[in-house]
Amino acid sequence: MQAYLRYAPALQRKAERILQNREDAQDVVQTLFVDLLQDSADVPDLAYLYRAVTNRCLNMLRDKATRARLLSRHDVALRGPVRTSCEDRTIDLDLLTKLSGTLDQEHAEVLVFHYFDDMSQSEIAELLGLSRKTIGVRLARIRSLVANLVGDKRGES
Amino acid sequence: MKCQRGEPVSWLRLELYGLGELPEAEAREIAEHLAACGACQACFERTALPAPPLGLPLPAAKPRRVAWRAHAVWAAGSVVSAALGAWLLWMPSQGDLAGRPGSRASVKGGDMSMELLRLDAQGRQLAATHFAPGDRFKVSLSCAAEVAPEASVLVFQAGQTFVAMPPHALGSCGNHRTLPGAFRLTGESAAEVCVVLSDPGGAAALANAREKAALPEPHACALLAPEPSP
């Protein structure tokens, strides 16, 4: 319970940045802690919980109905200040949903950590137990995909 | 809003810094960075803002085990007038059932059991025997790995059927799987909340069910009453 009181606000802010919906973010965090409490009395550290929230948010975005609902009533203010852009573009909820539908889990995680959590390549590498080079390769693929998506949209208009 | 020192301090590190969980040297580095970077300082200030009401998912109290004989109806609480609405009748599905009314239901053989978690508007956990405006309900279920992989939550109330939560693909079942999402109950009539497991695509037909008896197996239901007015 102490871990919940201590870490839930940080996790709530993180989920809100991704989903841009307060109630859904609250739901992600509550569900995570309910599941953790049922499995074990020990609660992992914040870094582990950050990763768990990322994956749960991405799973929500993969559901077509949830995606449509989130897009129809998201609050842009919950995204917070954006310090990391991709190809000179903020990855907003609309672009995130498109990307998460195309990228596999490994790439989608890196996308969220870098563009929503402003983590450096080194920090992501340490969090995921991978090499900095691997993270760099994944980010390059993400940038390429964003460039294609943005380029396609510009072509349409 | 670009970081003025090149590489921004990540949100995770800002949160850990605010919680005092970073090593001293790293905390000093961040303090220096924040002193020189308005963008990262603005982000850090957001971590210090009051958090919205969280909702506290306190562990549910252990339910009393109630002996159950096949085809018997288990009733708990006292029956009072409709004006008070404070009565609960536990209606089991086919097969053996045991559990505390309104919060737990088990189907014979332990193939499936359901728990309702009720949180009020302040996030306090209450007994899931009643519902009141502002309450949110979450569903946790346990089922055998080989049962049908899609879970839906339906509510029967005042002769109508509502899909409280859309079908959720379980993948494989297991113990205490909390379904994503939550739902609210409103109205002045008792509401029967049912969790149904079905094959993928089978959930669409469930919305046509007008009563619990029409639901396929396996399913588990709990009957909740509106909270009596003070």
Side-chain angles (χ1 to χ4, degrees):
Chain A
M1 181 48 55
Q2 287 306 315
Y4 178 78
L5 292 171
R6 188 169 177 77
Y7 293 141
L11 297 172
Q12 170 87 14
R13 283 187 282 270
K14 175 182 167 59
E16 283 180 0
R17 275 200 302 282
I18 301 171
L19 301 175
Q20 291 165 48
N21 180 290
R22 181 148 283 168
E23 207 165 83
D24 284 285
Q26 188 177 69
D27 201 56
V28 163
V29 176
Q30 284 179 0
T31 307
L32 171 61
F33 274 88
V34 167
D35 289 346
L36 284 172
L37 286 169
Q38 281 170 342
D39 287 343
S40 160
D42 301 322
V43 176
D45 61 20
L46 187 56
Y48 177 97
L49 295 170
Y50 240 55
R51 193 174 175 190
V53 165
T54 297
N55 286 319
R56 284 171 187 244
C57 288
L58 287 171
N59 286 341
M60 282 184 79
L61 291 173
R62 291 200 175 92
D63 178 78
K64 198 174 169 185
T66 306
R67 204 162 58 226
R69 181 173 58 74
L70 286 170
L71 283 169
S72 70
R73 50 180 183 142
H74 65 286
D75 181 356
V76 177
L78 294 177
R79 177 69 166 89
V82 175
R83 295 171 292 167
T84 311
S85 58
C86 182
E87 303 293 304
D88 292 325
R89 188 189 169 99
T90 296
I91 298 191
D92 56 14
L93 184 62
D94 182 58
L95 190 49
L96 176 62
T97 57
K98 290 187 172 90
L99 289 164
S100 63
T102 309
L103 294 168
D104 60 23
Q105 190 71 7
E106 286 80 18
H107 283 79
E109 262 192 311
V110 169
L111 180 154
V112 169
F113 289 139
H114 190 62
Y115 294 108
F116 283 79
D117 297 331
D118 297 311
M119 288 188 193
S120 66
Q121 291 186 33
S122 305
E123 202 176 343
I124 300 172
E126 192 182 330
L127 182 66
L128 298 180
L130 298 169
S131 69
R132 198 172 174 279
K133 186 178 173 186
T134 301
I135 303 304
V137 167
R138 290 185 187 177
L139 282 172
R141 167 128 202 274
I142 291 165
R143 280 194 292 272
S144 167
L145 200 54
V146 169
N148 285 340
L149 282 171
V150 170
D152 283 349
K153 212 165 179 185
R154 283 191 191 139
E156 281 166 22
S157 62
Chain B
M1 199 182 204
K2 289 286 184 194
C3 172
Q4 285 143 347
R5 297 197 73 184
E7 201 164 77
V9 180
S10 71
W11 283 99
L12 175 58
R13 289 175 80 216
L14 287 173
E15 299 280 7
L16 289 170
Y17 173 70
L19 289 168
E21 291 191 12
L22 286 178
E24 208 176 297
E26 201 176 333
R28 259 200 310 275
E29 269 177 37
I30 290 179
E32 285 167 13
H33 183 118
L34 295 180
C37 174
C40 292
Q41 175 64 27
C43 290
F44 178 62
E45 282 165 15
R46 274 179 88 96
T47 70
L49 289 174
L54 294 170
L56 300 178
L58 297 167
K62 281 193 177 0
R64 287 176 295 123
R65 289 205 58 86
V66 177
W68 157 253
R69 293 184 188 282
H71 308 300
V73 173
W74 193 95
S78 58
V79 177
V80 298
S81 70
L84 289 178
W87 59 274
L88 173 69
L89 188 64
W90 181 245
M91 300 292 289
S93 67
Q94 289 177 1
D96 290 348
L97 271 167
R100 193 172 66 168
S103 78
R104 194 169 191 172
S106 297
V107 176
K108 180 182 179 181
D111 283 344
M112 176 186 171
S113 70
M114 166 186 89
E115 278 188 78
L116 285 178
L117 175 69
R118 174 188 174 196
L119 298 172
D120 71 4
Q122 283 71 48
R124 294 169 299 198
Q125 185 177 345
L126 304 174
T129 54
H130 293 75
F131 61 90
D135 288 349
R136 296 172 76 232
F137 287 86
K138 293 187 67 67
V139 175
S140 170
L141 67 105
S142 300
C143 42
E146 61 271 16
V147 299
E150 205 166 73
S152 304
V153 181
L154 302 177
V155 173
F156 299 103
Q157 186 180 36
Q160 291 188 288
T161 307
F162 304 95
V163 178
M165 289 164 66
H168 173 72
L170 293 170
S172 65
C173 211
N175 288 328
H176 305 297
R177 291 282 303 273
T178 304
L179 299 184
F183 61 94
R184 298 184 197 275
L185 294 172
T186 59
E188 294 169 2
S189 307
E192 188 145 32
V193 178
C194 296
V195 176
V196 189
L197 298 185
S198 60
D199 289 322
L206 296 176
N208 295 327
R210 286 288 163 256
E211 55 180 356
K212 185 184 66 184
L215 294 176
E217 294 296 336
H219 67 266
C221 297
L223 188 62
L224 282 72
E227 195 74 58
S229 312

